[in-house]
Amino acid sequence: MGWLPQEGDTVVDKSGTHFVLGKEKGRGGEGIVFATQAEGAAVKIITGTSTTREDLGNRILRVTRLPVLDLPVAIPRYVLTGSDIGYSMTLVTGMTSLSELVLPSVLSPFTKSWYQETGGLMKRLMVVEALAEVIGSLHARGLVYCDLSANNVLISESIERSRLFLIDLDNLQYSTEPPRRIWTAPYSAPEQSDTGASQSTDDFSLAILVFSLLTGSNPFYGQALDKAFPEDYMNLPFAKSAPWIDDPYDLSNKWDSCIERRIVFSPMMYKLCHQTFTLGRYETSSRHSAPEYAIAARRARHALYRCAECGWDNYVSSEHCESCGCITDLEVVKVFRYFDGSLQPFDLCPLIVLDPQQDCEVRGLTLGLSGPAEAICLLIRSNSGKLEVEIQDARLQFENFPNRTKIEIGANGELVIARKNRDSLVFCFGKISRSS
């Protein structure tokens, strides 16, 4: 297509519905997604020249029959008519592109004010968790997303929410089908331009998004690419043209123009990225899966506290606020489980930081319970030097008080919570002082 519709133009789909194109919402390897004047609807315009209307119609028909209707994805509706090749899709309002949380270019300077204004570390970890959960669900159903990038993921505009939708769903297919050779250069696995997309390339793209979200910068744009001409690397996956910017074995692409890693990465999350971007760059079996990133994000965000002075999100391991230097005392919960007759840190969430200003909402997945990612199973709140714990999931109960749903406990106390059909968890409440 030599000419593409622009904002303000009108397109029509096969159902006869007219759509006035609004702002661009996302851009993938094959097309552009526009918002429309119709609430709950968007339009994708195909930019490639190889896709015919018939091919697109067949792909859309296949997608509507895939087991994804219960997931946060933008389901295609009808192909467009007239000279435009594309389709209408279902989409909720109040969403913006995930690329808003990534610096628009390497020339854009990283600032802590930008990072904080776009949601800070807490928002980014919530998005990582939600995105990893969706990709993991697709893979568990035998599906490949194919072209995962910051441009085809939409997130809540509110910095306090982590609702997420995948768009560009016409590329979705089963992993047993012939791989599609589709990619977006900054976000693709090295082999993707040669052998096509797979669940393994999805995992690699997810890791790139994780690094890009947490640092604001692409993990493969460093000195080597910065010295090259764009035409030398923009037509291939960045990861094929240069090593990871933090690769300890190859410093040719080193890049320090982004935030210090320890400030935004938990040790577990950095370890996942390290292996995926070094050994996993060419050994696909060494790449970590989407559920592992979800678990790492869940653990990391429970180990965050928000500075009362400046609002920056810090890990509990920080000796002071990484933005303003303020020191503080933290109320925390250490979570253990009985294993082989002894107490051991709970692998899913060994630490929860409490906010004295508001309730701490502990979700079911955090405590190893199945169900929706956002389902709250436990509320913990500070109350005049004591802690109030309230159970909101029938699969949990206080082991010593099985008929109660709410208990008040001293700040240095312990509480045993039984999980139905699982071992019990021990909650140890206390403080970590940063004032000495």
Side-chain angles (χ1 to χ4, degrees):
M1 298 176 67
W3 174 86
L4 290 173
Q6 315 239 342
E7 183 175 347
D9 290 343
T10 300
V11 296
V12 184
D13 71 12
K14 195 174 180 180
S15 72
T17 305
H18 290 65
F19 297 96
V20 178
L21 301 184
K23 293 182 179 180
E24 181 178 319
K25 301 293 285 186
R27 184 182 291 251
E30 280 194 332
I32 306 171
V33 175
F34 292 92
T36 73
Q37 92 293 354
E39 185 173 353
V43 165
K44 177 178 178 179
I45 304 294
I46 302 298
T47 56
T49 56
S50 59
T51 301
T52 66
R53 197 182 312 279
E54 182 179 4
D55 288 341
L56 183 61
N58 289 334
R59 275 158 51 186
I60 290 175
L61 183 61
R62 289 181 65 258
V63 169
T64 58
R65 294 172 177 173
L66 294 175
V68 296
L69 297 181
D70 60 322
L71 298 179
V73 295
I75 301 296
R77 290 162 52 170
Y78 301 101
V79 294
L80 302 182
T81 59
S83 60
D84 304 305
I85 296 181
Y87 59 88
S88 58
M89 69 178 75
T90 318
L91 191 64
V92 297
T93 57
M95 309 293 282
T96 188
S97 173
L98 184 61
S99 60
E100 295 293 320
L101 302 189
V102 181
L103 288 171
S105 76
V106 293
L107 299 177
S108 305
F110 178 93
T111 64
K112 287 185 176 178
S113 59
W114 164 81
Y115 197 85
Q116 195 166 337
E117 288 165 4
T118 52
L121 183 54
M122 177 63 81
K123 167 83 171 185
R124 285 166 168 81
L125 286 172
M126 289 194 300
V127 169
V128 167
E129 182 180 345
L131 178 58
E133 290 286 354
V134 177
I135 298 301
S137 294
L138 290 175
H139 288 181
R141 300 172 193 201
L143 298 170
V144 181
Y145 182 74
C146 292
D147 187 27
L148 184 61
S149 77
N151 299 318
N152 51 30
V153 180
L154 299 184
I155 58 171
S156 300
E157 291 178 345
S158 168
I159 63 173
E160 302 297 331
R161 302 191 64 191
S162 60
R163 192 174 187 185
L164 175 148
F165 264 74
L166 294 182
I167 58 177
D168 267 11
L169 227 65
D170 55 287
N171 296 313
L172 194 66
Q173 65 178 49
Y174 281 108
S175 60
T176 53
E177 297 180 80
R180 297 197 66 210
R181 291 181 64 244
I182 178 173
W183 71 91
T184 300
Y187 298 100
S188 299
E191 74 276 13
Q192 204 161 339
S193 57
D194 296 322
T195 61
S198 65
Q199 290 190 348
S200 181
T201 65
D202 280 355
D203 288 334
F204 197 90
S205 295
L206 174 63
I208 291 177
L209 276 174
V210 170
F211 192 95
S212 300
L213 284 169
L214 296 185
T215 66
S217 301
N218 188 282
F220 291 95
Y221 191 99
Q223 293 178 11
L225 294 191
D226 197 49
K227 294 175 182 177
F229 294 105
E231 54 267 27
D232 293 336
Y233 61 81
M234 282 305 296
N235 293 323
L236 291 172
F238 283 13
K240 186 174 184 177
S241 301
W244 180 34
I245 61 174
D246 285 356
D247 194 320
Y249 313 109
D250 187 343
L251 304 181
S252 64
N253 199 34
K254 188 176 175 62
W255 190 257
D256 294 321
S257 299
C258 54
I259 195 167
E260 190 177 348
R261 314 300 186 266
R262 68 170 183 81
I263 297 177
V264 293
F265 274 96
S266 68
M268 180 180 182
M269 188 73 81
Y270 193 79
K271 182 179 179 181
L272 297 181
C273 287
H274 185 285
Q275 180 163 320
T276 295
F277 294 149
T278 53
L279 291 176
R281 188 173 169 220
Y282 291 114
E283 296 177 9
T284 58
S285 61
S286 296
R287 296 172 185 172
H288 289 283
S289 66
E292 292 176 277
Y293 286 99
I295 290 172
R298 195 174 306 128
R299 289 180 59 173
R301 67 183 180 85
H302 276 307
L304 286 182
Y305 74 93
R306 181 157 288 176
C307 177
E309 294 295 323
C310 70
W312 183 265
D313 295 322
N314 299 277
Y315 285 114
V316 67
S317 56
S318 299
E319 295 183 359
H320 51 73
C321 175
E322 298 290 352
S323 182
C324 71
C326 178
I327 54 179
T328 187
D329 293 337
L330 305 174
E331 287 186 316
V332 299
V333 180
K334 293 183 179 179
V335 186
F336 299 87
R337 72 184 182 105
Y338 288 110
F339 187 75
D340 286 343
S342 63
L343 279 180
Q344 296 188 6
F346 184 48
D347 52 356
L348 287 180
C349 183
L351 186 69
I352 299 172
V353 178
L354 303 180
D355 185 345
Q357 305 300 320
Q358 60 185 8
D359 294 352
C360 177
E361 299 175 342
V362 183
R363 285 161 174 76
L365 288 176
T366 301
L367 300 186
L369 303 177
S370 59
E374 295 302 311
I376 298 169
C377 67
L378 206 64
L379 285 178
I380 307 175
R381 60 180 66 94
S382 297
N383 184 13
S384 303
K386 297 182 180 180
L387 291 164
E388 189 178 87
V389 183
E390 180 179 347
I391 288 176
Q392 298 203 340
D393 191 305
R395 292 171 294 178
L396 298 178
Q397 67 177 31
F398 299 118
E399 192 160 274
N400 297 324
F401 306 94
N403 296 322
R404 297 175 61 179
T405 59
K406 188 184 296 185
I407 282 182
E408 198 173 74
I409 188 172
N412 294 311
E414 293 185 1
L415 197 60
V416 181
I417 297 180
R419 301 178 296 166
K420 188 175 181 179
N421 300 325
R422 289 177 172 83
D423 52 4
S424 298
L425 299 179
V426 180
F427 284 63
C428 298
F429 299 91
K431 299 191 82 172
I432 296 179
S433 175
R434 297 301 186 196
S435 57
S436 58

